């Protein structure tokens, strides 16, 4: 038996979009029911049904659209390991290669008529992650997590969905064993700059490590891109849009935080997000100096505190929680 064997097989007929739609809906049902993961491990494998009724692993060669081939290869190149070489590999039934979710989404994204089903599935992937709030129950194998590449590819097709990828980076994320996952979000900053979809993604990401690594190099000193705080300071109209987007986000979707954090006494949500507007390698020699630096309408600390007070005055419920609602409740 293979390590990380998948018990649930969701079969599709290649080049039949209605068959792919059915598999997307089946995947949604498993996410809602909580059966997509058993223990620590993602338990679904997507397979192809042949004309004689037999099943086989999905192959990179099943993707016929050249743009989706490129996007799938790009997705495989990121994360804990560059496994883009698998595009030239014939995957056999007994091979310990678990990229079927990536291939399945690439196949689905070839068909514009499936977009609503794809987005609905992506939203449930995010909802599951936020409900569990722990990457220890999201592994595909010993190196990679389910969902990330699928969300990345959807955002490559339509950048507005980069917010879903950002939401997927939950608070309790095992950065030590998932090094390289910073590349997924920072890729879009590289491609699009601090456009509103990327500002919105920053606003919706609950993990400070992944927010700051949208522009900070993960293992070298210095920035990959301009810090978002610097960009917002240079563009006051975009800064006011950022504050509005952050307010609306917190009033509708609380920040998911770690279990060991006291929601009543240890959480300053807006300050925590403002902390990641700038790189730590900017020559600020103390926390006080960091918060005293100028923003647009005052010091960084004063603006964070004023915005949080305004949000709390409007909030009908807490703006932070330990677990989001279960997918079955959505």
């Amino acid at each position: 038996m293979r390590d990380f064997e998948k018990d649930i097989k969701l079969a599709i007929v290649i080049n039949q979009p209605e068959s792919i739609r059915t598999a997307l809906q089946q995947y949604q049902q498993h996410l809602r029911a909580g059966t997509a993961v058993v223990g620590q491990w993602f338990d679904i494998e997507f397979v192809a049904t042949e004309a004689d009724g037999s099943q086989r692993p999905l192959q990179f060669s099943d993707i016929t659209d050249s743009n989706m081939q490129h996007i799938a290869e790009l997705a495989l190149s990121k994360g804990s390991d560059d496994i883009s070489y698998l595009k030239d590999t014939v995957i056999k039934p007994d091979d310990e290669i678990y990229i079927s979710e990536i291939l399945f989404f690439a196949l689905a994204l070839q068909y514009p008529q499936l977009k609503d089903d794809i987005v609905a599935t992506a939203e449930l992937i995010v909802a599951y992650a936020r409900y569990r709030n722990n990457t220890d129950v999201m592994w595909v194998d010993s190196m990679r997590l389910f969902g990330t590449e699928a969300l990345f590819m959807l955002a490559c097709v339509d950048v507005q969905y980069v917010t879903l990828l950002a939401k997927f980076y939950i608070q309790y994320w095992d950065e030590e064993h998932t090094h390289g996952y910073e590349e997924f979000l920072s890729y879009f900053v590289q491609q699009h700059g601090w456009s509103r979809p990327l500002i919105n993604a920053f606003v919706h990401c609950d993990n400070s490590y992944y927010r700051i690594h949208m522009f900070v190099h993960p293992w070298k000193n210095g920035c990959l891109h301009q810090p978002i705080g610097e960009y917002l300071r240079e563009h006051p109209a975009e800064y006011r849009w950022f504050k509005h987007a952050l307010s609306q986000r917190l009033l509708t979707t609380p920040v998911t935080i770690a279990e060991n954090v006291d929601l009543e006494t240890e959480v300053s949500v807006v300050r925590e997000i403002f902390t990641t507007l700038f790189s730590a390698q900017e020559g600020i020699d103390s926390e006080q100096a960091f918060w005293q630096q100028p923003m647009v309408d005052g010091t960084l600390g004063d603006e964070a505190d004023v915005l949080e007070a305004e949000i709390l005055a409007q909030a009908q419920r807490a703006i932070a929680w330990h677990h989001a609602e279960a997918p079955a409740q959505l």
Side-chain angles (χ1 to χ4, degrees):
M1 180 177 177
R2 296 182 297 167
D3 290 338
F4 322 116
E5 182 74 45
K6 313 303 177 192
D7 292 322
I8 299 170
K9 311 292 184 183
L10 298 185
I12 64 169
V13 179
I14 302 298
N15 299 325
Q16 290 192 15
E18 287 307 311
S19 173
I20 297 173
R21 190 193 308 277
T22 297
L24 285 164
Q25 293 170 351
Q26 290 171 337
Y27 188 13
Q28 293 169 26
Q29 292 169 4
H30 284 290
L31 289 164
R32 286 194 180 95
T35 52
V37 174
V38 174
Q40 291 182 285
W41 308 108
F42 186 66
D43 197 36
I44 293 175
E45 185 166 5
F46 298 91
V47 297
T49 298
E50 300 283 52
D52 63 1
S54 63
Q55 295 181 346
R56 63 163 175 83
L58 294 180
Q59 308 293 330
F60 191 92
S61 59
D62 292 327
I63 307 166
T64 55
D65 180 272
S66 60
N67 183 51
M68 280 314 307
Q69 288 177 349
H70 169 70
I71 290 172
E73 183 177 356
L74 190 61
L76 290 168
S77 73
K78 300 185 181 302
S80 299
D81 245 347
D82 180 350
I83 55 172
S84 58
Y85 65 88
L86 291 175
K87 70 184 179 65
D88 298 317
T89 300
V90 175
I91 303 172
K92 301 181 180 65
D94 293 332
D95 288 343
E96 293 187 10
I97 299 173
Y98 301 97
I99 61 170
S100 74
E101 187 197 34
I102 303 170
L103 300 178
F104 171 69
F105 267 81
L107 288 165
L109 284 163
Q110 293 181 129
Y111 301 102
Q113 65 266 41
L114 297 181
K115 186 173 183 179
D116 287 348
D117 294 277
I118 295 167
V119 171
T121 309
E123 288 173 340
L124 283 167
I125 290 171
V126 172
Y128 178 87
R130 291 176 59 77
Y131 170 64
R132 298 305 300 267
N133 193 20
N134 191 333
T135 52
D136 283 351
V137 293
M138 295 167 58
W139 294 101
V140 171
D141 54 30
S142 61
M143 295 293 292
R144 300 175 83 87
L145 304 170
F146 85 91
T148 322
E149 293 89 351
L151 297 168
F152 172 80
M153 292 189 295
L154 174 59
C156 284
V157 172
D158 188 340
V159 72
Q160 71 169 310
Y161 294 109
V162 71
T163 298
L164 286 175
L165 176 62
K167 287 181 176 181
F168 186 71
Y169 288 101
I170 52 180
Q171 177 66 233
Y172 194 89
W173 188 284
D174 183 355
E175 292 96 2
E176 180 181 355
H177 295 98
T178 55
H179 58 86
Y181 274 71
E182 307 88 352
E183 298 176 27
F184 287 96
L185 276 178
S186 67
Y187 169 82
F188 292 102
V189 182
Q190 176 186 344
Q191 295 297 307
H192 301 280
W194 288 112
S195 58
R196 288 193 175 182
L198 271 299
I199 296 172
N200 201 45
F202 183 92
V203 161
H204 280 87
C205 182
D206 288 354
N207 188 298
S208 60
Y209 177 85
Y210 285 98
R211 276 200 312 275
I212 202 163
H213 284 97
M214 291 175 77
F215 57 89
V216 170
H217 199 288
W219 59 85
K220 298 179 182 178
N221 290 334
C223 292
L224 289 163
H225 317 293
Q226 181 185 32
I228 185 173
E230 185 180 300
Y231 172 83
L232 294 173
R233 193 158 54 194
E234 293 174 358
H235 299 83
E238 294 304 284
Y239 176 58
R240 293 185 176 92
W241 188 88
F242 159 79
K243 290 199 294 183
H244 173 75
L246 179 55
S247 297
Q248 293 306 301
R249 177 261 147 100
L250 293 176
L251 290 171
T252 56
T253 309
V255 167
T256 305
I257 63 171
E259 286 272 16
N260 60 353
V261 174
D262 188 322
L263 293 173
E264 298 297 326
T265 63
E266 298 183 55
V267 180
S268 178
V269 172
V270 176
R271 273 212 174 214
E272 197 275 335
I273 292 172
F274 271 48
T275 299
T276 54
L277 288 174
F278 296 95
S279 167
Q281 294 92 23
E282 289 188 358
I284 303 295
D285 57 6
S286 70
E287 183 177 354
Q288 182 179 7
F290 178 84
W291 291 112
Q292 287 299 313
Q293 66 181 302
M295 195 56 191
V296 174
D297 300 313
T299 68
L300 185 66
D302 286 346
E303 292 201 41
D305 293 341
V306 167
L307 181 58
E308 182 146 347
E310 290 174 351
I311 293 169
L312 290 173
Q314 300 175 62
Q316 300 298 309
R317 61 177 177 179
I319 61 173
W321 55 14
H322 290 131
H323 292 277
E325 293 174 342
Q329 297 173 314
L330 300 180

